[in-house]
Amino acid sequence: MTLSRRTGLSWALLGRRRTSGPSQVRTRPTRYLSSSAPPPPGSWSSHLSRLPRQDLYRLSVTDPDRFWASAAADRLRWIEPFQRVQDCDLDRGRIRWFLGGKLNVSVNCLDIHVDAHPDRVALIWERDEPGTEVKVSYRELLDMTCRLANTLKTHGIQKGDRVAIYMPVSPLAVAAMLACARIGAVHTVVFAGFSSEALAGRIQDAQCRAVVTCNQAVRGGRLIQLKATVDAAVKSCPSVQHVFVSQRTEQPPVMGKLDVPLEEVMSSQPTVCPPEPLDSEDLLFLLYTSGSTGKPKGIVHTQAGYLLYASITHQLVFDHRDGDVFGCMADIGWITGHSYVVYGPLCNGATTVLFESTPVYPHPGRYWETVERLRINQFYAAPTALRLLLTHGDGWVRKYDRSSLRTLASVGEPINQEAWHWFHSVVGERRCPLVDTWWQTETGGVCIAPRPAEPGAPIIPAMAMRPFFGIQPVLMGQKGEALTGNSVGGPLCLRQPWPGMARSIYGDHQRFIDSYFRPYPGHYFTGDGAFRSEDGFYQITGRMDDVINVSGHRLGTAEIEDALDEHPAVPESAVIGTPHEIKGEVPFAFVVLKEDLSDDPSTVLQQLRQLVSTKIAKYAVPEHFLVVKRLPKTRSGKIMRRILRKVAMETGEDLGDVSTLDDPSVLQEILEVYQQHRKQRQE
Ligand code: WT7
């Protein structure tokens, strides 16, 4: 990105680097029929990019149609131009962008780059064993995607069908996502650490017609039996007609009647697959995430708005420049992997790293050895990994050459001061801006972060900082009023829609409205609390609901309670999050056991650990269990988790307002067992 000497501004603020070369897809110039008068094609962006950035932010919130229309026209290749920029009504949860437009996401992520630079590396698959990385060019990725798309088509998968992808990050997993996008199928990637029951629940909710998986996964030197987990899951999923099995290892999988050997079938398919022209608002993917109540929700993202937002944030938040190697360590099972391993980087023609291993395999220098070997320019990781690595000392970092690094970034949970300073000073030698990025599965891309590409932009340790273009944070007061001024804190809402935001919860639009738009009418409610500093910067303080964050993985405490309550000896339970040095938070379970229990309570607790692991995932298993006679409840029977949180936080006798408690004697009971539990832990 070149900077204009006179204004100190970037020339390509809105426009993606233009790629030249013959185009395979017919395009027409975009026409605008939005509220404002239609400009001649292309002129807005050049006009906008001359504005100082503060003015550009102001414009993005005062005239979002103009801002986003310009960005969409310049950054995306359209098959049909859009007619209207947006049609949104937050109170009804109606969010639509770029109406009437048609495009194909895989064309934007592949074909246009193949036209311009077919041999550029699209993916570097950093496999579990260091030094065995595999590079895949844009040409090769397009071929692979088309073969996979044709495989899906010949097995009857059509536009609108849902396809589950249950595999760790790999070129084939990326090709599977893009193959769905090519033919208009809707992918739902399920993190490969989830249990068969959790996978089955997601497949059933989405009514998937197919599953794409691999025989085994390899992580940290260990083999994980993925295919066996899929076999167990699909037994209860009658919608699944095919399971496509790729070979990650040499171990041949046991093939059943649903199973299709993926590579074998792909090899006889053509490398050309015409892209399906899709409506801006056709579904691109579902991604299941935890809420404060009930089952995980299938967050719906659609084509154009999501892709635009992923690509513009990828470029501007991380200061990604042409030719850079982008290293986001996340798995594709999470939104971070969707937006910043796959869609954002590929839409921008970047070289993106697919990290298969763990931060400590084969040693705690793995990340930095990878940075040195792959010459990574932007490095994006979770605070939990950094906290773990810093306990191993600076030697593991200093051993490797990190001179390629230009931007450091963190995501997933609040980054504490110690981890921030270690990342910034030891890893980045104080030379790289560190951007703490706040966002959610629902927001599609980063919403609050420092903007390092801006000359002279300040960065304050451990603060997510400033809203991205088009994002207007609002902090709410006690009565639901927007707080004005600085040095205030409260529930964090976002005032106006942006193209990357979720469109619905799959199959339950009412839940979408109730969760996000009912709490503060006219606003999107994030579930997080935040503080606005004296200088007007934002600091995220954490979830305000019953969602917890374990090692950067989002979990609903209600899901864990549901799993615990399935045990016949458990009439009820309550789960809360408590702080943990490395993992950020861990689940703490208070369980009531039946009085006439014949088993030893420790046997039951062991069974409960197993239960959570098979119902959800290993990382959801509570770190602490406390057997109590009763739970604190209000007179109307609601469990007062707030009090349990205070008990576990060890605030002593100060348990806050307990006046609504049905029977206050329960407190003494719980405090006593907690003290015993604590003593035992220390012994
Ligand atoms: C929740 C969203 C966004 C990708 C990964 C997580 C927490 C996320 C930060 C941050 C403080 C953060 C919030 C949010 N969170 N980033 N930089 N500082 N908290 O996505 O699984 O949808 O979880 O993660 O509590 O609501 P997710």
Side-chain angles (χ1 to χ4, degrees):
M1 206 182 279
T2 42
L3 297 173
S4 138
R5 229 177 261 135
R6 195 168 52 82
T7 57
L9 296 170
S10 113
W11 59 268
L13 206 51
L14 297 175
R16 176 169 57 179
R17 289 165 298 279
R18 290 228 168 237
T19 45
S20 50
S23 102
Q24 290 174 349
V25 178
R26 193 173 50 91
T27 53
R28 284 195 243 149
T30 305
R31 271 179 290 124
Y32 305 87
L33 293 178
S34 66
S35 44
S36 28
S43 68
W44 271 352
S45 75
S46 44
H47 168 65
L48 291 186
S49 62
R50 281 199 297 271
L51 286 174
R53 284 238 183 157
Q54 310 83 293
D55 292 353
L56 196 57
Y57 174 76
R58 202 171 311 128
L59 184 113
S60 76
V61 293
T62 54
D63 194 353
D65 280 18
R66 196 170 154 213
F67 179 90
W68 290 116
S70 169
D74 274 14
R75 301 183 71 93
L76 300 182
R77 181 183 287 188
W78 294 87
I79 298 170
E80 292 278 341
F82 52 90
Q83 307 294 314
R84 196 173 163 193
V85 183
Q86 61 167 309
D87 172 22
C88 300
D89 177 350
L90 290 188
D91 289 331
R92 291 200 198 152
R94 187 177 72 220
I95 298 135
R96 297 186 203 144
W97 284 86
F98 311 119
L99 291 93
K102 285 196 189 300
L103 79 174
N104 186 283
V105 165
S106 77
V107 167
N108 279 276
C109 291
L110 298 171
D111 304 55
I112 57 168
H113 310 305
V114 173
D115 292 350
H117 38 69
D119 299 323
R120 177 181 288 185
V121 175
L123 312 175
I124 306 179
W125 184 22
E126 173 63 12
R127 297 199 300 173
D128 199 44
E129 280 311 318
T132 65
E133 73 273 13
V134 172
K135 294 184 175 163
V136 179
S137 71
Y138 272 95
R139 171 81 257 165
E140 289 164 334
L141 184 58
L142 176 61
D143 287 357
M144 202 192 295
T145 300
C146 287
R147 283 184 196 270
L148 217 158
N150 288 324
T151 304
L152 295 177
K153 279 214 285 202
T154 54
H155 285 81
I157 310 297
Q158 294 172 353
K159 179 177 167 185
D161 286 344
R162 274 83 53 216
V163 175
I165 300 175
Y166 185 71
M167 60 206 294
V169 64
S170 66
L172 263 181
V174 174
M177 293 165 80
L178 294 169
C180 288
R182 190 126 189 124
I183 65 173
V186 180
H187 62 70
T188 177
V189 182
V190 179
F191 174 57
F194 278 119
S195 68
S196 63
E197 285 192 41
L199 171 62
R202 285 155 172 82
I203 294 175
Q204 288 159 3
D205 189 78
Q207 287 292 295
C208 296
R209 267 186 89 167
V211 182
V212 184
T213 188
C214 54
N215 61 337
Q216 297 177 310
V218 190
R219 194 156 186 267
R222 291 192 4 248
L223 294 174
I224 304 151
Q225 306 301 333
L226 282 200
K227 169 68 166 52
T229 309
V230 174
D231 288 346
V234 297
K235 280 197 186 115
S236 58
C237 301
S239 65
V240 173
Q241 292 168 352
H242 305 288
V243 176
F244 298 95
V245 188
S246 82
Q247 285 284 140
R248 170 61 184 87
T249 62
E250 278 167 20
Q251 174 81 32
V254 181
M255 298 293 270
K257 64 177 193 309
L258 297 179
D259 302 337
V260 180
L262 185 60
E263 289 92 336
E264 199 180 307
V265 178
M266 275 171 70
S267 65
S268 57
Q269 290 294 328
T271 54
V272 173
C273 173
E276 184 76 29
L278 294 165
D279 197 277
S280 294
E281 287 299 337
D282 279 333
L283 269 53
L284 176 61
F285 66 85
L286 312 179
L287 188 58
Y288 283 82
T289 189
S290 298
S292 51
T293 55
K295 296 184 300 163
K297 34 197 184 185
I299 299 298
V300 172
H301 281 288
T302 56
Q303 313 275 331
Y306 169 79
L307 186 66
L308 173 65
Y309 198 72
S311 94
I312 192 170
T313 49
H314 169 256
Q315 186 188 337
L316 299 180
V317 171
F318 302 96
D319 190 16
H320 183 271
R321 305 179 198 173
D322 213 20
D324 282 352
V325 176
F326 190 76
C328 169
M329 299 298 110
D331 187 272
I332 47 157
W334 312 110
I335 190 71
T336 312
H338 282 61
S339 301
Y340 302 115
V341 174
V342 182
Y343 289 113
L346 294 180
C347 188
N348 291 338
T351 296
T352 181
V353 174
L354 315 178
F355 186 73
E356 186 183 42
S357 195
T358 83
V360 288
Y361 183 77
H363 53 69
R366 175 58 185 268
Y367 273 170
W368 325 118
E369 187 266 326
T370 305
V371 165
E372 174 183 289
R373 186 161 30 82
L374 307 185
R375 305 292 301 157
I376 289 175
N377 301 110
Q378 288 83 17
F379 182 82
Y380 194 22
T384 182
L386 303 170
R387 286 193 298 263
L388 176 67
L389 294 180
L390 79 80
T391 63
H392 291 276
D394 303 354
W396 285 109
V397 185
R398 300 203 199 280
K399 205 169 154 193
Y400 301 100
D401 173 16
R402 285 127 29 242
S403 59
S404 60
L405 289 174
R406 213 173 54 240
T407 310
L408 301 175
S410 123
V411 65
E413 47 178 322
I415 178 165
N416 51 314
Q417 291 278 347
E418 192 188 1
W420 196 98
H421 286 290
W422 185 77
F423 199 18
H424 184 248
S425 334
V426 180
V427 176
E429 298 165 318
R430 295 174 193 271
R431 126 186 111 63
C432 310
L434 196 178
V435 293
D436 174 13
T437 64
W438 175 88
W439 59 297
Q440 310 177 297
T441 306
E442 294 87 339
T443 68
V446 174
C447 290
I448 303 181
R451 297 200 294 266
E454 235 159 289
I459 295 186
I460 299 172
M463 274 218 177
M465 310 274 295
R466 279 198 292 172
F468 189 73
F469 296 110
I471 301 291
Q472 262 187 303
V474 179
L475 302 180
M476 295 296 182
Q478 300 274 338
K479 297 191 192 86
E481 79 285 10
L483 297 174
T484 52
N486 290 342
S487 300
V488 288
L492 171 67
C493 291
L494 303 176
R495 200 196 315 262
Q496 64 188 16
W498 63 100
M501 74 189 296
R503 303 302 197 253
S504 192
I505 289 174
Y506 193 68
D508 198 349
H509 195 68
Q510 192 57 46
R511 189 176 174 196
F512 183 62
I513 299 171
D514 293 345
S515 313
Y516 305 109
F517 305 105
R518 187 146 303 199
Y520 299 96
H523 295 79
Y524 166 81
F525 174 49
T526 64
D528 281 313
F531 180 74
R532 189 160 51 227
S533 73
E534 229 177 301
D535 307 312
F537 298 129
Y538 290 87
Q539 181 168 32
I540 309 297
T541 48
R543 296 292 304 195
M544 303 194 82
D545 53 11
D546 292 319
V547 170
I548 60 173
N549 198 317
V550 181
S551 303
H553 301 332
R554 177 163 154 184
L555 270 171
T557 51
E559 283 170 71
I560 307 176
E561 290 166 7
D562 287 348
L564 297 173
D565 296 351
E566 277 194 28
H567 193 290
V570 178
E572 60 178 354
S573 63
V575 174
I576 54 153
T578 51
H580 184 278
E581 247 180 67
I582 306 275
K583 298 179 184 174
E585 264 185 309
V586 286
F588 190 130
F590 292 80
V591 289
V592 178
L593 297 183
K594 276 202 178 134
E595 280 185 16
D596 54 353
L597 194 70
S598 50
D599 287 329
D600 179 33
S602 65
T603 314
V604 177
L605 294 188
Q606 201 39 47
Q607 289 164 348
L608 289 176
R609 288 193 183 90
Q610 190 55 42
L611 199 59
V612 177
S613 168
T614 52
K615 294 260 160 212
I616 311 173
K618 281 209 187 80
Y619 72 85
V621 175
E623 184 108 349
H624 309 286
F625 280 92
L626 197 66
V627 178
V628 293
K629 283 208 198 94
R630 297 177 293 164
L631 293 169
K633 290 185 184 169
T634 62
R635 277 182 278 280
S636 58
K638 263 184 86 171
I639 298 173
M640 293 180 76
R641 290 184 183 73
R642 173 170 60 79
I643 290 181
L644 296 175
R645 244 174 253 134
K646 291 226 164 182
V647 170
M649 293 285 286
E650 306 188 1
T651 52
E653 299 290 311
D654 169 28
L655 298 178
D657 178 13
V658 294
S659 60
T660 52
L661 204 58
D662 181 33
D663 177 0
S665 69
V666 69
L667 292 181
Q668 208 43 45
E669 235 173 74
I670 293 178
L671 280 170
E672 274 170 26
V673 238
Y674 181 79
Q675 289 309 334
Q676 281 168 15
H677 161 84
R678 199 167 169 246
K679 252 211 225 125
Q680 280 166 7
R681 245 168 56 194
Q682 283 166 350
E683 277 164 15

